[in-house]
Amino acid sequence: MIQPLTVTELSHLLRSQVNAGAGTQSISLVRLNRLLRHTPHDMTAKVECGMTLADFQSHLRNANQWLPLDPPNPD
C-alpha cells in the first residue's frame, strides 16, 4: 500500500497511476493527517484529508471548541 506523506507526493502518484492506466486503490491517505491551521477566534481550521474526526475533535477540544458531528466511527 502506498502512503504518501505530502499532497505533492500524492499528486505525483495519482498522475503517474492515471497516466499508466492503473487504478488508485493502492493509495492510503493515513499519513496525510496533520492539522495545518486552526484559528480559534475565527472558528476556522485547515486539515489534511487523512486526519480522523477523532483526532480533529481532540485538537479542537484544546481551544474549547468542537465540530458538531457525531458519526458512529470517528476513528
Side-chain angles (χ1 to χ4, degrees), residues 20-53:
T24 58
Q25 298 88 347
S26 62
I27 297 176
S28 170
L29 303 176
V30 297
R31 291 176 59 187
L32 293 172
N33 61 1
R34 291 175 287 269
L35 175 70
L36 302 175
R37 181 178 57 244
H38 178 216
T39 310
H41 65 275
D42 286 340
M43 295 194 311
T44 60
K46 181 176 180 179
V47 300
E48 292 181 326
C49 55
M51 178 175 262
T52 65
L53 183 56

Side-chain angles (χ1 to χ4, degrees), residues 2-4 8-18 27:
I2 301 169
Q3 296 180 347
T8 301
E9 185 180 349
L10 173 61
S11 175
H12 290 295
L13 286 167
L14 288 172
R15 187 174 297 117
S16 66
Q17 287 193 341
V18 167
I27 297 176

